[in-house]
Amino acid sequence: MGVRNFSCRDEACQDAGFPVFAPGLVPDVSKPDDPYGEIVGTSLAIRYVLRLVETVAGADSTALLLGETGTGKELIARAIHKRSPRRGRPFVKVNCAAIPTGLLESELFGHERGAFTGAIAQKAGRLELADKGTLFLDEIGDIPLELQPKLLRAIQEREFERLGSALTKKVNVRIIAATHRDLEAMIFRREFRADLYYRLNVFPICVPSLRERKGDIPLLVRHFIISAAKRMNKTIDCVATESMAALVTYSWPGNIRELENVIERAVILSTGPALEVRMRDLNSRITAGRDSAAQTLEEVERNHILATLKQTGWVLSGPRGAATRLGLNRSTLHFRMKKLGIFRSTESSFPKMDWDSSAGEK
């Protein structure tokens, strides 16, 4: 059971700009040797991110993944690891937001027997388990302020002590961190150490939201249908044109994670070979989105910079450039664009950008 000949129901789907899916366009299951795992998409935004993955993977430098929740930052981290010389070594993940504050230090650095109440046996920490491999610090913005100096030392010196031990342990580990938070704003509010931020921010990668890569939605829909149909032993042959149009139009505040959940629900409810997303479900989500709070400060800033860049024809410097209009130095504008994931999306191929040069100027 599964997807036999997955396509849109009729030619109107093509007329609306939605591709008809060719068999094998997205594999049913990622191949073991596929360095990008389950990363699906051909949009300019995701291809640019994968180009950055290729660039940093072999460098063994610290990478910082920035982006909204549900955008697939962990998949990007795993892709970096799989493309690196450490790919045969462990990939160890720590979700800093999911572990209680009192236990996070023990999880990261380990402890000796009797180090605290309940420590009945010696335990190696995640940092030690990742020796010669990669340590992925997810939601690094949620790490307690009091623990940040010890983490900074471990990242900088590659050494640490277990709780309850005076013995210093050395490790050879690559650090990849990720967050959906604005770390610079947290530094300003004294919620995050500036020195730790600079140590992590060696090679930042901005992972685009799903609304910035809507051209990938049909491919992602197919990928999730194949996965869900296989698990549920169902056969889904096609997607109703109106359902695909609704999926592409929706803004997806929960990003890829939300899309996956919607598709899984639709597969559960589908009784025939055509996947039909209940329009009222998406309409209620759209209405709720319109009634929700105003845009975040970061979204307002991003939209303002984008509007200014379009007005100047993407000229960055000079008396009529975007930097002058925004009242910023050119280097500051470059930094903000990079942090917010802004690049020319109108090109037909990869944007030829060098963030430390004058690329993009006219």
Side-chain angles (χ1 to χ4, degrees):
M1 306 293 280
V3 178
R4 289 198 302 266
N5 184 17
F6 195 81
S7 64
C8 292
R9 180 176 290 178
D10 51 47
E11 295 180 357
C13 190
Q14 283 180 296
D15 297 337
F18 308 133
V20 170
F21 301 112
L25 185 59
V26 181
D28 287 10
V29 180
S30 298
K31 297 177 181 178
D33 59 348
D34 179 8
Y36 294 130
E38 295 185 351
I39 299 175
V40 175
T42 59
S43 67
L44 181 67
I46 196 63
R47 287 192 296 144
Y48 179 66
V49 168
L50 294 180
R51 189 178 72 173
L52 294 178
V53 168
E54 290 279 355
T55 301
V56 75
D60 211 38
S61 299
T62 300
L64 178 61
L65 309 182
L66 305 168
E68 299 175 11
T69 57
T71 53
K73 295 187 290 294
E74 183 178 346
L75 291 180
I76 298 297
R78 291 185 181 276
I80 293 173
H81 175 72
K82 289 179 181 179
R83 299 291 288 177
S84 76
R86 298 175 182 264
R87 56 185 171 272
R89 299 292 184 170
F91 177 90
V92 179
K93 174 189 173 183
V94 181
N95 189 323
C96 301
I99 301 173
T101 301
L103 298 178
L104 185 56
E105 184 175 6
S106 172
E107 284 295 321
L108 282 173
F109 304 107
H111 62 255
E112 298 293 336
R113 180 180 178 182
F116 52 85
T117 304
I120 59 176
Q122 185 186 75
K123 177 185 176 181
R126 306 287 181 91
L127 195 65
E128 192 172 345
L129 294 174
D131 189 29
K132 296 182 176 61
T134 300
L135 179 65
F136 177 47
L137 298 173
D138 197 11
E139 299 300 348
I140 189 68
D142 290 271
I143 192 169
L145 192 61
E146 61 271 18
L147 189 55
Q148 292 178 24
K150 187 170 183 178
L151 178 61
L152 173 64
R153 174 177 171 245
I155 294 174
Q156 184 168 304
E157 306 296 336
R158 298 296 194 267
E159 63 181 29
F160 67 96
E161 293 83 33
R162 289 178 178 171
L163 285 175
S165 173
L167 177 65
T168 299
K169 287 184 170 292
K170 292 276 189 180
V171 288
N172 174 12
V173 62
R174 181 185 195 165
I175 302 294
I176 302 176
T179 184
H180 72 282
R181 296 181 179 274
D182 186 342
L183 296 183
E184 291 181 338
M186 292 182 67
I187 292 171
F188 181 78
R189 296 193 302 265
R190 299 182 183 278
E191 297 173 353
F192 201 85
R193 291 180 62 101
D195 47 5
L196 177 57
Y197 171 70
Y198 297 136
R199 179 58 60 178
L200 293 171
N201 196 40
V202 176
F203 195 90
I205 298 177
C206 297
V207 183
S209 64
L210 187 53
R211 61 184 172 275
E212 295 174 287
R213 43 180 297 211
K214 287 197 171 186
D216 290 333
I217 289 177
L219 295 178
L220 287 162
V221 168
R222 181 182 192 273
H223 177 76
F224 293 138
I225 288 176
I226 290 172
S227 176
K230 183 175 294 185
R231 292 198 312 271
M232 300 175 197
N233 198 31
K234 285 191 171 186
T235 297
I236 303 294
D237 290 336
C238 58
V239 176
T241 304
E242 59 273 16
S243 294
M244 184 63 78
L247 292 170
V248 173
T249 303
Y250 181 55
S251 62
W252 300 109
N255 292 295
I256 298 173
R257 186 179 296 127
E258 183 184 7
L259 173 62
E260 182 178 13
N261 293 338
V262 167
I263 296 302
E264 182 173 348
R265 172 182 168 82
V267 171
I268 293 171
L269 296 175
S270 294
T271 57
L275 184 85
E276 295 187 9
V277 179
R278 296 194 177 188
M279 300 302 295
R280 62 177 179 270
D281 292 344
L282 284 182
N283 288 336
S284 64
R285 290 166 182 259
I286 294 171
T287 302
R290 287 172 181 168
D291 295 338
S292 63
Q295 289 180 304
T296 65
L297 182 60
E298 185 173 279
E299 289 172 335
V300 172
E301 180 186 13
R302 189 178 190 281
N303 291 336
H304 183 51
I305 291 177
L306 269 173
T308 305
L309 287 167
K310 290 177 182 177
Q311 290 171 6
T312 62
W314 290 81
V315 175
L316 302 186
S317 60
R320 297 183 181 180
T324 302
R325 290 195 182 190
L326 293 168
L328 300 173
N329 293 328
R330 179 171 157 275
S331 58
T332 303
L333 177 57
H334 264 154
F335 175 80
R336 299 305 301 169
M337 289 171 64
K338 185 176 181 181
K339 182 178 183 299
L340 296 170
I342 297 173
F343 51 87
R344 293 192 74 163
S345 58
T346 56
E347 302 293 338
S348 59
S349 59
F350 281 114
K352 296 180 180 179
M353 283 198 170
D354 180 353
W355 294 108
D356 298 320
S357 70
S358 57
E361 292 185 21
K362 296 182 179 179

Short mmCIF file of all heavy atoms in Angstrom, two decimals, residues 228-285:
data_model
loop_
_atom_site.label_atom_id
_atom_site.label_comp_id
_atom_site.label_asym_id
_atom_site.label_seq_id
_atom_site.Cartn_x
_atom_site.Cartn_y
_atom_site.Cartn_z
N ALA A 228 3.10 8.95 5.65
CA ALA A 228 1.91 8.66 6.45
C ALA A 228 1.12 7.48 5.87
O ALA A 228 0.63 6.62 6.61
CB ALA A 228 1.03 9.90 6.54
N ALA A 229 0.98 7.44 4.54
CA ALA A 229 0.22 6.35 3.91
C ALA A 229 0.88 5.00 4.15
O ALA A 229 0.20 3.99 4.37
CB ALA A 229 0.09 6.62 2.40
N LYS A 230 2.19 4.99 4.14
CA LYS A 230 2.91 3.73 4.38
C LYS A 230 2.68 3.26 5.80
O LYS A 230 2.44 2.06 6.05
CB LYS A 230 4.39 3.93 4.10
CG LYS A 230 5.22 2.66 4.26
CD LYS A 230 6.66 2.88 3.86
CE LYS A 230 6.78 3.17 2.38
NZ LYS A 230 8.19 3.27 1.94
N ARG A 231 2.73 4.18 6.77
CA ARG A 231 2.53 3.80 8.18
C ARG A 231 1.10 3.31 8.42
O ARG A 231 0.88 2.40 9.23
CB ARG A 231 2.80 4.99 9.10
CG ARG A 231 4.25 5.42 9.18
CD ARG A 231 4.50 6.28 10.40
NE ARG A 231 3.51 7.33 10.56
CZ ARG A 231 3.60 8.54 10.02
NH1 ARG A 231 4.65 8.83 9.27
NH2 ARG A 231 2.67 9.45 10.24
N MET A 232 0.14 3.91 7.72
CA MET A 232 -1.28 3.59 7.96
C MET A 232 -1.82 2.55 6.99
O MET A 232 -3.01 2.26 7.00
CB MET A 232 -2.12 4.87 7.87
CG MET A 232 -1.71 5.92 8.88
SD MET A 232 -2.63 7.46 8.65
CE MET A 232 -1.59 8.59 9.59
N ASN A 233 -0.95 2.04 6.13
CA ASN A 233 -1.34 1.02 5.16
C ASN A 233 -2.51 1.49 4.30
O ASN A 233 -3.50 0.77 4.09
CB ASN A 233 -1.71 -0.29 5.88
CG ASN A 233 -1.70 -1.49 4.95
OD1 ASN A 233 -0.93 -1.53 3.99
ND2 ASN A 233 -2.56 -2.46 5.23
N LYS A 234 -2.39 2.73 3.80
CA LYS A 234 -3.41 3.30 2.94
C LYS A 234 -2.84 3.56 1.56
O LYS A 234 -1.61 3.63 1.38
CB LYS A 234 -3.95 4.61 3.53
CG LYS A 234 -4.89 4.44 4.71
CD LYS A 234 -5.57 5.76 5.05
CE LYS A 234 -6.67 5.56 6.06
NZ LYS A 234 -7.45 6.81 6.28
N THR A 235 -3.73 3.74 0.60
CA THR A 235 -3.32 4.09 -0.75
C THR A 235 -3.85 5.48 -1.07
O THR A 235 -5.06 5.72 -1.05
CB THR A 235 -3.87 3.09 -1.79
OG1 THR A 235 -3.31 1.80 -1.52
CG2 THR A 235 -3.49 3.52 -3.20
N ILE A 236 -2.94 6.41 -1.34
CA ILE A 236 -3.30 7.77 -1.74
C ILE A 236 -2.71 8.00 -3.13
O ILE A 236 -1.49 7.96 -3.31
CB ILE A 236 -2.76 8.83 -0.76
CG1 ILE A 236 -3.26 8.56 0.67
CG2 ILE A 236 -3.17 10.23 -1.21
CD1 ILE A 236 -4.73 8.70 0.87
N ASP A 237 -3.59 8.21 -4.12
CA ASP A 237 -3.14 8.36 -5.50
C ASP A 237 -2.89 9.80 -5.91
O ASP A 237 -2.06 10.07 -6.77
CB ASP A 237 -4.17 7.76 -6.46
CG ASP A 237 -4.22 6.23 -6.36
OD1 ASP A 237 -3.21 5.66 -5.93
OD2 ASP A 237 -5.26 5.65 -6.70
N CYS A 238 -3.64 10.72 -5.34
CA CYS A 238 -3.56 12.10 -5.82
C CYS A 238 -4.06 13.06 -4.75
O CYS A 238 -4.56 12.64 -3.70
CB CYS A 238 -4.38 12.27 -7.10
SG CYS A 238 -6.13 11.83 -6.87
N VAL A 239 -3.87 14.33 -5.04
CA VAL A 239 -4.34 15.39 -4.16
C VAL A 239 -5.33 16.25 -4.93
O VAL A 239 -5.06 16.64 -6.07
CB VAL A 239 -3.18 16.29 -3.66
CG1 VAL A 239 -3.70 17.44 -2.81
CG2 VAL A 239 -2.18 15.47 -2.86
N ALA A 240 -6.48 16.52 -4.33
CA ALA A 240 -7.45 17.37 -4.99
C ALA A 240 -6.83 18.75 -5.25
O ALA A 240 -6.11 19.29 -4.42
CB ALA A 240 -8.69 17.52 -4.11
N THR A 241 -7.10 19.29 -6.42
CA THR A 241 -6.52 20.56 -6.82
C THR A 241 -6.83 21.67 -5.83
O THR A 241 -5.95 22.47 -5.47
CB THR A 241 -7.04 20.97 -8.21
OG1 THR A 241 -6.75 19.92 -9.13
CG2 THR A 241 -6.39 22.25 -8.69
N GLU A 242 -8.09 21.71 -5.37
CA GLU A 242 -8.46 22.77 -4.43
C GLU A 242 -7.74 22.62 -3.10
O GLU A 242 -7.41 23.61 -2.44
CB GLU A 242 -9.98 22.79 -4.22
CG GLU A 242 -10.58 21.51 -3.66
CD GLU A 242 -10.94 20.51 -4.73
OE1 GLU A 242 -10.47 20.66 -5.89
OE2 GLU A 242 -11.71 19.57 -4.42
N SER A 243 -7.45 21.37 -2.72
CA SER A 243 -6.71 21.14 -1.48
C SER A 243 -5.28 21.62 -1.62
O SER A 243 -4.73 22.27 -0.71
CB SER A 243 -6.74 19.66 -1.11
OG SER A 243 -8.05 19.24 -0.80
N MET A 244 -4.64 21.31 -2.75
CA MET A 244 -3.27 21.77 -2.96
C MET A 244 -3.20 23.28 -2.99
O MET A 244 -2.27 23.89 -2.44
CB MET A 244 -2.71 21.18 -4.25
CG MET A 244 -1.25 21.54 -4.50
SD MET A 244 -0.14 20.88 -3.23
CE MET A 244 -0.02 19.18 -3.75
N ALA A 245 -4.18 23.92 -3.63
CA ALA A 245 -4.20 25.38 -3.67
C ALA A 245 -4.30 25.97 -2.28
O ALA A 245 -3.63 26.95 -1.94
CB ALA A 245 -5.37 25.86 -4.54
N ALA A 246 -5.13 25.35 -1.43
CA ALA A 246 -5.28 25.83 -0.05
C ALA A 246 -3.98 25.65 0.74
O ALA A 246 -3.58 26.52 1.52
CB ALA A 246 -6.43 25.10 0.63
N LEU A 247 -3.33 24.52 0.52
CA LEU A 247 -2.07 24.25 1.24
C LEU A 247 -0.99 25.25 0.86
O LEU A 247 -0.20 25.69 1.69
CB LEU A 247 -1.61 22.83 0.95
CG LEU A 247 -2.47 21.70 1.53
CD1 LEU A 247 -2.03 20.35 0.95
CD2 LEU A 247 -2.38 21.69 3.04
N VAL A 248 -0.92 25.62 -0.42
CA VAL A 248 0.09 26.56 -0.88
C VAL A 248 -0.22 27.98 -0.41
O VAL A 248 0.68 28.77 -0.11
CB VAL A 248 0.23 26.51 -2.42
CG1 VAL A 248 1.16 27.61 -2.92
CG2 VAL A 248 0.75 25.15 -2.86
N THR A 249 -1.51 28.31 -0.30
CA THR A 249 -1.92 29.66 0.07
C THR A 249 -1.75 29.93 1.56
O THR A 249 -1.43 31.05 1.96
CB THR A 249 -3.40 29.89 -0.33
OG1 THR A 249 -3.55 29.64 -1.72
CG2 THR A 249 -3.83 31.31 -0.02
N TYR A 250 -1.92 28.92 2.37
CA TYR A 250 -1.86 29.08 3.82
C TYR A 250 -0.48 29.56 4.26
O TYR A 250 0.54 29.20 3.67
CB TYR A 250 -2.22 27.75 4.49
CG TYR A 250 -2.22 27.77 5.99
CD1 TYR A 250 -2.98 28.69 6.70
CD2 TYR A 250 -1.46 26.84 6.70
CE1 TYR A 250 -2.97 28.69 8.09
CE2 TYR A 250 -1.46 26.83 8.08
CZ TYR A 250 -2.22 27.76 8.78
OH TYR A 250 -2.21 27.75 10.14
N SER A 251 -0.41 30.35 5.33
CA SER A 251 0.85 31.00 5.74
C SER A 251 1.75 30.11 6.61
O SER A 251 2.92 30.43 6.80
CB SER A 251 0.55 32.29 6.50
OG SER A 251 -0.19 32.02 7.68
N TRP A 252 1.24 29.03 7.18
CA TRP A 252 2.03 28.07 7.95
C TRP A 252 2.88 28.69 9.05
O TRP A 252 4.12 28.62 9.00
CB TRP A 252 2.90 27.23 7.02
CG TRP A 252 2.12 26.46 6.01
CD1 TRP A 252 2.06 26.71 4.66
CD2 TRP A 252 1.25 25.37 6.27
NE1 TRP A 252 1.19 25.82 4.06
CE2 TRP A 252 0.68 24.99 5.02
CE3 TRP A 252 0.89 24.66 7.41
CZ2 TRP A 252 -0.21 23.93 4.91
CZ3 TRP A 252 -0.02 23.62 7.30
CH2 TRP A 252 -0.55 23.27 6.06
N PRO A 253 2.26 29.26 10.08
CA PRO A 253 3.05 29.80 11.19
C PRO A 253 3.85 28.73 11.93
O PRO A 253 4.87 29.02 12.54
CB PRO A 253 1.99 30.45 12.10
CG PRO A 253 0.71 29.77 11.74
CD PRO A 253 0.81 29.47 10.28
N GLY A 254 3.36 27.46 11.87
CA GLY A 254 4.10 26.37 12.50
C GLY A 254 5.09 25.71 11.59
O GLY A 254 5.72 24.70 11.96
N ASN A 255 5.22 26.23 10.36
CA ASN A 255 6.20 25.78 9.39
C ASN A 255 6.04 24.31 9.02
O ASN A 255 4.92 23.81 8.98
CB ASN A 255 7.61 26.10 9.90
CG ASN A 255 7.86 27.59 9.94
OD1 ASN A 255 7.88 28.25 8.91
ND2 ASN A 255 8.02 28.14 11.14
N ILE A 256 7.14 23.63 8.73
CA ILE A 256 7.08 22.27 8.19
C ILE A 256 6.45 21.31 9.18
O ILE A 256 5.72 20.39 8.79
CB ILE A 256 8.49 21.80 7.78
CG1 ILE A 256 9.04 22.71 6.68
CG2 ILE A 256 8.46 20.35 7.31
CD1 ILE A 256 10.48 22.44 6.33
N ARG A 257 6.68 21.53 10.46
CA ARG A 257 6.08 20.65 11.47
C ARG A 257 4.55 20.72 11.41
O ARG A 257 3.87 19.71 11.51
CB ARG A 257 6.58 21.05 12.85
CG ARG A 257 6.13 20.10 13.96
CD ARG A 257 6.67 20.54 15.31
NE ARG A 257 8.12 20.47 15.34
CZ ARG A 257 8.90 21.48 15.69
NH1 ARG A 257 8.37 22.65 16.00
NH2 ARG A 257 10.21 21.34 15.72
N GLU A 258 4.02 21.91 11.23
CA GLU A 258 2.58 22.07 11.13
C GLU A 258 2.04 21.41 9.85
O GLU A 258 1.00 20.75 9.87
CB GLU A 258 2.20 23.55 11.15
CG GLU A 258 0.70 23.80 11.12
CD GLU A 258 0.33 25.27 11.03
OE1 GLU A 258 1.25 26.11 10.86
OE2 GLU A 258 -0.86 25.59 11.12
N LEU A 259 2.76 21.59 8.74
CA LEU A 259 2.35 20.97 7.48
C LEU A 259 2.31 19.45 7.61
O LEU A 259 1.37 18.79 7.16
CB LEU A 259 3.31 21.37 6.35
CG LEU A 259 3.11 20.68 5.00
CD1 LEU A 259 1.73 20.99 4.43
CD2 LEU A 259 4.20 21.09 4.02
N GLU A 260 3.32 18.88 8.24
CA GLU A 260 3.36 17.43 8.42
C GLU A 260 2.16 16.95 9.22
O GLU A 260 1.54 15.93 8.89
CB GLU A 260 4.66 17.03 9.12
CG GLU A 260 4.81 15.53 9.31
CD GLU A 260 6.13 15.16 9.96
OE1 GLU A 260 6.83 16.05 10.47
OE2 GLU A 260 6.45 13.95 9.95
N ASN A 261 1.80 17.68 10.28
CA ASN A 261 0.66 17.29 11.11
C ASN A 261 -0.65 17.39 10.34
O ASN A 261 -1.54 16.53 10.48
CB ASN A 261 0.61 18.16 12.37
CG ASN A 261 1.78 17.89 13.30
OD1 ASN A 261 2.39 16.83 13.24
ND2 ASN A 261 2.10 18.85 14.15
N VAL A 262 -0.79 18.45 9.52
CA VAL A 262 -2.01 18.62 8.73
C VAL A 262 -2.15 17.49 7.72
O VAL A 262 -3.25 16.93 7.53
CB VAL A 262 -2.00 19.99 8.01
CG1 VAL A 262 -3.09 20.05 6.94
CG2 VAL A 262 -2.21 21.12 9.02
N ILE A 263 -1.05 17.11 7.08
CA ILE A 263 -1.10 16.02 6.09
C ILE A 263 -1.42 14.69 6.77
O ILE A 263 -2.20 13.88 6.26
CB ILE A 263 0.22 15.94 5.31
CG1 ILE A 263 0.44 17.20 4.48
CG2 ILE A 263 0.24 14.70 4.42
CD1 ILE A 263 -0.67 17.51 3.49
N GLU A 264 -0.83 14.45 7.91
CA GLU A 264 -1.11 13.20 8.63
C GLU A 264 -2.59 13.12 9.00
O GLU A 264 -3.22 12.06 8.85
CB GLU A 264 -0.24 13.10 9.89
CG GLU A 264 -0.45 11.80 10.64
CD GLU A 264 0.53 11.62 11.79
OE1 GLU A 264 1.51 12.38 11.87
OE2 GLU A 264 0.31 10.70 12.61
N ARG A 265 -3.15 14.23 9.47
CA ARG A 265 -4.57 14.25 9.80
C ARG A 265 -5.42 13.99 8.55
O ARG A 265 -6.39 13.23 8.59
CB ARG A 265 -4.93 15.61 10.41
CG ARG A 265 -6.42 15.84 10.62
CD ARG A 265 -6.68 17.23 11.20
NE ARG A 265 -8.08 17.59 11.15
CZ ARG A 265 -9.00 17.22 12.02
NH1 ARG A 265 -8.64 16.44 13.03
NH2 ARG A 265 -10.26 17.60 11.91
N ALA A 266 -5.02 14.60 7.43
CA ALA A 266 -5.78 14.41 6.20
C ALA A 266 -5.72 12.97 5.71
O ALA A 266 -6.72 12.43 5.22
CB ALA A 266 -5.25 15.35 5.12
N VAL A 267 -4.57 12.33 5.86
CA VAL A 267 -4.45 10.93 5.46
C VAL A 267 -5.34 10.05 6.34
O VAL A 267 -6.00 9.12 5.87
CB VAL A 267 -2.98 10.47 5.55
CG1 VAL A 267 -2.86 8.96 5.35
CG2 VAL A 267 -2.13 11.19 4.50
N ILE A 268 -5.39 10.35 7.62
CA ILE A 268 -6.24 9.59 8.54
C ILE A 268 -7.70 9.69 8.13
O ILE A 268 -8.45 8.71 8.12
CB ILE A 268 -6.06 10.09 9.99
CG1 ILE A 268 -4.65 9.76 10.50
CG2 ILE A 268 -7.11 9.46 10.91
CD1 ILE A 268 -4.32 10.39 11.84
N LEU A 269 -8.13 10.91 7.76
CA LEU A 269 -9.53 11.16 7.45
C LEU A 269 -9.92 10.77 6.03
O LEU A 269 -11.11 10.64 5.72
CB LEU A 269 -9.86 12.64 7.67
CG LEU A 269 -9.74 13.14 9.12
CD1 LEU A 269 -9.96 14.64 9.19
CD2 LEU A 269 -10.73 12.41 10.03
N SER A 270 -8.93 10.60 5.16
CA SER A 270 -9.24 10.27 3.76
C SER A 270 -9.78 8.86 3.65
O SER A 270 -9.20 7.91 4.18
CB SER A 270 -7.98 10.42 2.89
OG SER A 270 -7.58 11.77 2.84
N THR A 271 -10.90 8.72 2.95
CA THR A 271 -11.52 7.41 2.76
C THR A 271 -11.34 6.85 1.35
O THR A 271 -11.64 5.69 1.10
CB THR A 271 -13.03 7.49 3.07
OG1 THR A 271 -13.62 8.50 2.22
CG2 THR A 271 -13.26 7.86 4.53
N GLY A 272 -10.85 7.69 0.45
CA GLY A 272 -10.64 7.26 -0.92
C GLY A 272 -9.21 7.46 -1.35
O GLY A 272 -8.33 7.77 -0.53
N PRO A 273 -8.93 7.32 -2.64
CA PRO A 273 -7.55 7.44 -3.14
C PRO A 273 -7.06 8.88 -3.26
O PRO A 273 -5.87 9.09 -3.47
CB PRO A 273 -7.63 6.78 -4.52
CG PRO A 273 -9.04 6.99 -4.95
CD PRO A 273 -9.87 6.90 -3.71
N ALA A 274 -7.96 9.85 -3.14
CA ALA A 274 -7.57 11.26 -3.27
C ALA A 274 -7.50 11.90 -1.90
O ALA A 274 -8.43 11.79 -1.09
CB ALA A 274 -8.56 12.02 -4.15
N LEU A 275 -6.38 12.55 -1.62
CA LEU A 275 -6.24 13.26 -0.36
C LEU A 275 -7.03 14.55 -0.43
O LEU A 275 -6.85 15.35 -1.35
CB LEU A 275 -4.77 13.58 -0.08
CG LEU A 275 -4.51 14.25 1.27
CD1 LEU A 275 -4.39 13.19 2.36
CD2 LEU A 275 -3.26 15.10 1.24
N GLU A 276 -7.89 14.76 0.53
CA GLU A 276 -8.67 15.98 0.59
C GLU A 276 -8.48 16.62 1.96
O GLU A 276 -8.84 16.04 2.98
CB GLU A 276 -10.15 15.69 0.33
CG GLU A 276 -10.43 15.19 -1.08
CD GLU A 276 -11.90 15.08 -1.39
OE1 GLU A 276 -12.71 15.57 -0.56
OE2 GLU A 276 -12.25 14.53 -2.44
N VAL A 277 -7.89 17.79 1.96
CA VAL A 277 -7.72 18.55 3.19
C VAL A 277 -9.01 19.30 3.45
O VAL A 277 -9.53 19.98 2.57
CB VAL A 277 -6.54 19.53 3.07
CG1 VAL A 277 -6.38 20.34 4.36
CG2 VAL A 277 -5.26 18.78 2.75
N ARG A 278 -9.52 19.17 4.64
CA ARG A 278 -10.77 19.84 4.97
C ARG A 278 -10.55 21.36 4.98
O ARG A 278 -9.78 21.88 5.78
CB ARG A 278 -11.29 19.37 6.32
CG ARG A 278 -11.64 17.88 6.32
CD ARG A 278 -12.45 17.49 7.53
NE ARG A 278 -12.84 16.09 7.47
CZ ARG A 278 -13.68 15.52 8.33
NH1 ARG A 278 -14.23 16.24 9.29
NH2 ARG A 278 -13.98 14.25 8.21
N MET A 279 -11.24 22.02 4.09
CA MET A 279 -11.03 23.46 3.92
C MET A 279 -11.33 24.23 5.19
O MET A 279 -10.67 25.21 5.50
CB MET A 279 -11.90 23.98 2.77
CG MET A 279 -11.61 23.31 1.43
SD MET A 279 -9.90 23.51 0.91
CE MET A 279 -9.85 25.29 0.69
N ARG A 280 -12.31 23.79 5.95
CA ARG A 280 -12.67 24.54 7.15
C ARG A 280 -11.54 24.52 8.18
O ARG A 280 -11.41 25.44 8.98
CB ARG A 280 -13.96 24.01 7.76
CG ARG A 280 -13.92 22.57 8.23
CD ARG A 280 -15.25 22.19 8.90
NE ARG A 280 -15.26 20.81 9.34
CZ ARG A 280 -15.68 19.81 8.60
NH1 ARG A 280 -16.09 20.04 7.35
NH2 ARG A 280 -15.67 18.57 9.06
N ASP A 281 -10.73 23.44 8.16
CA ASP A 281 -9.61 23.38 9.09
C ASP A 281 -8.59 24.47 8.78
O ASP A 281 -8.14 25.20 9.67
CB ASP A 281 -8.93 22.01 9.01
CG ASP A 281 -9.81 20.90 9.56
OD1 ASP A 281 -10.79 21.23 10.26
OD2 ASP A 281 -9.53 19.72 9.28
N LEU A 282 -8.23 24.59 7.48
CA LEU A 282 -7.27 25.63 7.10
C LEU A 282 -7.87 27.01 7.23
O LEU A 282 -7.20 27.95 7.65
CB LEU A 282 -6.79 25.40 5.67
CG LEU A 282 -5.76 24.29 5.46
CD1 LEU A 282 -5.34 24.22 4.01
CD2 LEU A 282 -4.55 24.49 6.35
N ASN A 283 -9.15 27.15 6.88
CA ASN A 283 -9.79 28.46 7.01
C ASN A 283 -9.81 28.94 8.45
O ASN A 283 -9.61 30.11 8.74
CB ASN A 283 -11.22 28.41 6.45
CG ASN A 283 -11.25 28.29 4.93
OD1 ASN A 283 -10.30 28.68 4.27
ND2 ASN A 283 -12.33 27.74 4.40
N SER A 284 -10.06 28.01 9.39
CA SER A 284 -10.07 28.39 10.80
C SER A 284 -8.68 28.79 11.26
O SER A 284 -8.51 29.70 12.05
CB SER A 284 -10.60 27.24 11.65
OG SER A 284 -9.74 26.11 11.58
N ARG A 285 -7.66 28.11 10.70
CA ARG A 285 -6.28 28.47 11.05
C ARG A 285 -5.93 29.84 10.50
O ARG A 285 -5.27 30.65 11.15
CB ARG A 285 -5.31 27.42 10.49
CG ARG A 285 -5.38 26.07 11.18
CD ARG A 285 -4.65 25.01 10.38
NE ARG A 285 -4.74 23.70 10.98
CZ ARG A 285 -3.78 23.13 11.69
NH1 ARG A 285 -2.66 23.77 11.90
NH2 ARG A 285 -3.94 21.93 12.22
#
